Amino acid sequence: MPRTPAALALCLALAAVAVPLSASPAAADSSACTHHFSGPQICIRLEGRGARNSVTGIWTNPPEEIASRPVSLLRNGRHVDTATAVRSGKALTHTWPSGDTGSGTELCVRFRGSQRLACQTTH
């Protein structure tokens, strides 16, 4: 057991570093965006752990007059659902609740009026 304040502080600092190193892996959060310099900038964000994720579709640069727009979720190229993305600050967003997205699954989002897809593969 440390006997001086300096030794105690050193032990606490080492413990603070050791805990994150021994903790389980962080959630598998990831995102991807279309890489076009003009037109809609569409992004997808996955948040979760393993094969269980929530999916968010984001249109980062919609015209100011657009308050909402339908957004579709595709899984391995097949339509899963269409929902309404609403303005949140400068972007339109919609989040599908967490569910079993599987491993090695390609998830994509597409906003109505754009042929651009933002895709991310689960791990």
Side-chain angles (χ1 to χ4, degrees):
M1 191 74 177
R3 291 190 167 82
T4 66
L8 178 60
L10 178 61
C11 286
L12 290 174
L14 290 174
V17 171
V19 169
L21 293 176
S22 64
S24 62
D29 299 343
S30 62
S31 63
C33 295
T34 56
H35 297 288
H36 298 278
F37 294 108
S38 63
Q41 179 71 22
I42 309 298
C43 301
I44 185 171
R45 182 174 59 226
L46 304 180
E47 294 180 279
R49 185 176 296 278
R52 190 157 184 82
N53 294 279
S54 65
V55 179
T56 301
I58 307 160
W59 182 359
T60 65
N61 63 342
E64 288 183 19
E65 66 274 6
I66 297 178
S68 65
R69 180 67 56 100
V71 58
S72 295
L73 175 63
L74 296 95
R75 179 181 175 137
N76 292 329
R78 292 187 170 167
H79 180 266
V80 174
D81 188 40
T82 298
T84 301
V86 295
R87 187 170 288 276
S88 175
K90 293 183 178 183
L92 297 178
T93 65
H94 176 76
T95 299
W96 284 270
S98 185
D100 184 5
T101 55
S103 182
T105 303
E106 182 185 57
L107 298 169
C108 300
V109 294
R110 176 185 294 147
F111 281 78
R112 181 172 292 158
S114 174
Q115 292 303 308
R116 295 185 180 154
L117 289 173
C119 300
Q120 189 73 20
T121 301
T122 61
H123 298 283

